[in-house]
Amino acid sequence: MLPLFAMVAVAVISRSPLSAGASFNATPLQTNGMHRVIHVDVQDGSASDRNPGTASAPLQTIGRALQIAFAQNANALPVTIFIHPGTYRETLSIAAGGADVALTLQATENGKAVVSGSDVWKGWRPWGDRGIFVHPWLFSWGLAPVPGGWPKIHDVLRRREMVFVNGLLLSQVLGPENLAPGAFYVDDRAHLIYIWPREAVDPGTAMIEVAVRDPVVLVSGRTNLTIRGLVFQHAATAPDASAVTVNNSTNVLIEDSTFQWNNWGGLAINTSVNATVKRSVGNHNGARGMSTWKDKNVLFEDNETSFNNWRGSWGDFYSWATAGIKNMFVHKGVFRRHRSIGNHTWGFWLDTDNQDVTVEDGVWCNNNAGAFVEASQGPITLSGSVICLNNSTSLGTSISQNVTLRNNIIYNTAPYPLLEINDLSSGVVRDWETGQTMTLRTQRWTLCGNVFISAGRSEHLFSVPDWNFFLSTLRSARNDYWNPYTRGAFWLRGSPGSGQTFDLPGWQRLVGQDADSIFADPRLTDPTRGDFQPLPDSPWHRC
C-alpha cells in the first residue's frame, strides 16, 4: 500500500481505481450439481435466450439469465452469471430468492460489460439549416414531482431526459429559444425532441443514445448478492433516485464496478445490513455518485465519487440531496481511501443519525465544498485524510458531537474557513433503530495531529460560534496551524457582523487547549499541486 502522502499526490491527478479491461479466470467454476454457471454474451451472433446459457451457447440478455438463476436459487443452488463484453440495454430486477444462497453477476472483463438505461435512436431529421435535428418524443414524463420536504427547485432539476451524441452528454434547455450547440430540448406538447450537437454530425452514422429506463438495476430483499466488474449508466432517474438501488438486503458485495452518467444518483444502498463496496467508481452523475440510507455494518473501500452534480449545476442546486457520496443514518460504517474530486457539490457528506463511523485516508479536493458532518451523534472519526483546494468551506459541521479529527491535512486558498462550525446551537434527531430522540449539540470534539493550512489572505483557520458547550468540551493537541499572511487566524463569531479574532496564544488562553500545538509552516512538498509529502525538516508531528 502506498503511504498516505504518496497516495494523495497520486490520487488527486490519477485515473480512477477501476482497472478497465482487467479480467479473471472463469474456468474453475463449472456446472456440477452444486453450483450453476450461466453465460450471457450480447455480441455473440449465436446468443439467444432460448439457449442453455453455456459458454458455447450463451444467452442474449441478463434478464433471462436472472430468471434461470432465481429458479436455481430456489432449489438452494448458488449461481454465477458471467457477463461478456457488450452493452446490455435492459432493466434488471433482483428480488428475494427462495433460499439464502449466493447470486453473483460478474463481468468477464472489468469495465467492458455495460448495463445501460439508454437506447440508440435512429430516424432523426434536420430541422432548419443550423445542425439541429428532431425526432418524435415517445414519453410523457414532464416535470417530476419534488420529493417531500425539499425546497423549491429549478424546473431543469425536475427533468430526467438525457441525450448522448457519440458518448458526449448534451445539456438540457427548457425552451426552443435556448437551443445552442451542445444542447437539447423536449417539447412535451408537440411530442418532439430537438438536439443540436456540438459539432456537425451525420445522424445516420452518429451514435445518438437517449435515456429511456429508470432504474437500470433494482435489488429488493436479497441476501448474498455479489456484483463485480460491471458498468451501469444512462438511467433516466427522477430527483433523489439512483441508477442502481439496493433495498432491504443483507450481505451485499459490489466490487470493481462503475456507476456513471446517470441523471441523478449512481449507486444507492438503503435499509441494508452488511453491505460492502470496493474499488468502484461513481463519477459524472447528475446529482450524486453514491449514497447510503439507514444501513448497518457497511464498508466502503478504495472507491471514487468525482465530477458529479452536473444537473444540479444547471439549476444552481449544490446541496440538499447532492454530493460525491452522501451517507445518512449509518450505524457502524467504515469509509476507507475514498476519493471525491471535482464535484459541483460537497465531496463527502455524513448527514443525520450517523454513529460508530470511521473515515480513513480520504481525498476530498477541488469540489464545490469539501466534507460535511451534520446532525450526527457519533462517535465519528476522520483520520489520515486530505481536504484540499475546495471552492468554499473545507470541513463544515452542524449539531454533531463526539467527532474526532486525527492526522488530517486541510488546505485551501479560497477565502473560506478551513473548519466551519455552523450556527445551529442544538437539534433533535431520532435514532432510526431504537426510535429514541436525542438532543444534539456541536460538542465533545477532539483535534489531534492535524495540519490546517490557509493560503488565502482573508481566510480564517477556524470559524467557531461563541458557544460555551463547544469551547468547553473541545480537546485539541499537537496540531500545526499555518497562514502565511496573518497570525490572527482563529475567528470566534458573535452576533452577525461581529466577532473576535485570535492568534494561537490567544486561542490557547481562550480554550485551554493546544498547549503543544504550533503555528508554523508544516513544510509540505507542493500543496498547490496536491503533493502533501512532508519535507525532511517538517515540524508536523502526528498523533
Side-chain angles (χ1 to χ4, degrees):
M1 186 179 86
L2 286 171
L4 167 63
F5 298 101
M7 179 201 73
V8 167
V10 172
V12 173
I13 59 174
S14 69
R15 62 180 176 84
S16 69
L18 177 66
S19 297
S23 62
F24 65 96
N25 184 359
T27 55
L29 293 175
Q30 301 293 331
T31 305
N32 56 16
M34 298 299 293
H35 186 281
R36 178 66 192 271
V37 172
I38 303 170
H39 287 264
V40 186
D41 191 347
V42 71
Q43 294 184 340
D44 188 322
S46 66
S48 169
D49 282 353
R50 294 187 295 272
N51 285 346
T54 61
S56 59
L59 300 173
Q60 189 172 40
T61 67
I62 304 171
R64 176 56 182 153
L66 286 171
Q67 290 177 346
I68 297 172
F70 297 155
Q72 297 294 318
N73 282 168
N75 292 323
L77 285 177
V79 177
T80 295
I81 300 173
F82 288 137
I83 304 171
H84 292 257
T87 300
Y88 297 81
R89 300 186 186 276
E90 49 186 308
T91 296
L92 310 179
S93 180
I94 304 174
D100 292 338
V101 293
L103 172 63
T104 299
L105 281 70
Q106 182 157 337
T108 59
E109 296 182 67
N110 285 352
K112 292 192 175 182
V114 179
V115 183
S116 179
S118 66
D119 285 341
V120 177
W121 280 19
K122 299 292 186 179
W124 296 87
R125 55 184 175 82
W127 188 74
D129 58 1
R130 295 185 295 172
I132 301 173
F133 301 95
V134 65
H135 192 287
W137 180 243
L138 309 178
F139 305 96
S140 300
W141 294 339
L143 296 176
V146 178
W150 279 34
K152 184 178 180 181
I153 59 176
H154 194 287
D155 282 353
V156 76
L157 300 172
R158 300 173 61 187
R159 307 297 307 202
R160 50 192 283 196
E161 300 88 2
M162 291 188 297
V163 180
F164 299 83
V165 178
N166 294 331
L168 298 178
L169 173 70
L170 301 184
S171 60
Q172 187 165 21
V173 298
L174 301 183
E177 69 280 4
N178 300 123
L179 270 175
F184 76 96
Y185 163 63
V186 174
D187 187 334
D188 291 309
R189 291 187 177 182
H191 298 285
L192 295 172
I193 179 171
Y194 299 85
I195 65 170
W196 192 346
R198 291 176 179 84
E199 299 178 356
V201 299
D202 178 354
T205 58
M207 173 76 79
I208 302 176
E209 297 171 285
V210 180
V212 298
R213 280 176 288 278
D214 167 30
V216 291
V217 179
L218 178 61
V219 179
S220 302
R222 189 75 202 188
T223 299
N224 299 327
L225 172 68
T226 297
I227 297 174
R228 184 178 290 121
L230 297 169
V231 177
F232 304 93
Q233 66 182 28
H234 298 183
T237 42
D240 215 24
S242 292
V244 176
T245 300
V246 178
N247 292 328
N248 306 314
S249 296
T250 303
N251 298 339
V252 175
L253 173 62
I254 298 173
E255 293 183 319
D256 302 310
S257 294
T258 296
F259 310 85
Q260 65 181 13
W261 295 112
N262 299 289
N263 185 61
W264 198 266
L267 168 67
I269 299 180
N270 306 323
T271 58
S272 295
V273 179
N274 299 337
T276 298
V277 181
K278 290 186 174 184
R279 300 182 304 277
S280 293
V281 175
N283 290 357
H284 299 290
N285 296 286
R288 59 178 180 250
M290 298 180 184
S291 64
T292 60
W293 187 79
K294 289 189 176 179
D295 297 317
K296 188 171 182 177
N297 299 335
V298 298
L299 171 62
F300 279 62
E301 191 172 72
D302 297 309
N303 301 306
E304 177 176 353
T305 51
S306 298
F307 314 113
N308 296 291
N309 200 37
W310 45 260
R311 184 171 286 274
S313 70
W314 295 349
D316 296 322
F317 191 64
Y318 301 105
S319 187
W320 205 264
T322 70
I325 179 170
K326 182 161 187 179
N327 306 289
M328 300 185 68
F329 306 98
V330 173
H331 288 187
K332 296 184 180 178
V334 175
F335 299 85
R336 183 175 293 127
R337 296 184 296 276
H338 191 107
R339 294 190 294 166
S340 288
I341 298 167
N343 294 284
H344 298 285
T345 176
W346 291 95
F348 189 93
W349 193 343
L350 292 170
D351 181 0
T352 309
D353 184 22
N354 293 286
Q355 65 179 27
D356 297 319
V357 173
T358 299
V359 184
E360 300 174 344
D361 301 341
V363 178
W364 313 313
C365 295
N366 301 109
N367 304 289
N368 190 55
F372 195 29
V373 181
E374 179 180 7
S376 293
Q377 65 271 32
I380 295 169
T381 299
L382 278 65
S383 67
S385 297
V386 172
I387 310 174
C388 68
L389 296 169
N390 294 287
N391 294 332
S392 59
T393 301
S394 298
L395 175 60
T397 187
S398 176
I399 55 171
S400 293
Q401 58 194 40
N402 303 312
V403 176
T404 297
L405 305 181
R406 182 183 298 116
N407 300 335
N408 303 287
I409 296 175
I410 305 178
Y411 170 83
N412 212 350
T413 59
Y416 295 92
L418 299 182
L419 174 61
E420 183 167 16
I421 310 296
N422 290 309
D423 285 328
L424 294 176
S425 60
S426 65
V428 176
V429 172
R430 183 183 298 274
D431 185 308
W432 68 266
E433 284 194 277
T434 67
Q436 176 186 1
T437 58
M438 301 164 285
T439 299
L440 303 184
R441 295 181 173 89
T442 303
Q443 60 182 352
R444 296 195 293 274
W445 278 57
T446 299
L447 281 60
C448 190
N450 303 285
V451 172
F452 296 89
I453 309 174
S454 167
R457 290 182 179 274
S458 61
E459 185 179 358
H460 295 96
L461 296 173
F462 289 179
S463 174
V464 181
D466 187 7
W467 295 337
N468 192 46
F469 50 78
F470 173 76
L471 297 176
S472 64
T473 61
L474 176 67
R475 299 294 177 263
S476 191
R478 299 190 70 176
N479 301 294
D480 186 344
Y481 303 107
W482 180 240
N483 186 321
Y485 301 106
T486 178
R487 291 185 172 272
F490 301 87
W491 182 27
L492 184 68
R493 298 196 307 270
S495 58
S498 67
Q500 293 178 278
T501 59
F502 297 86
D503 59 10
L504 179 58
W507 171 257
Q508 291 168 331
R509 289 190 296 270
L510 175 71
V511 299
Q513 299 291 314
D514 277 317
D516 55 356
S517 296
I518 60 175
F519 191 88
D521 186 343
R523 302 285 293 149
L524 307 179
T525 300
D526 192 351
T528 61
R529 296 180 181 273
D531 188 345
F532 295 94
Q533 175 72 34
L535 295 170
D537 60 346
S538 171
W540 176 36
H541 296 288
R542 283 164 280 189
C543 287

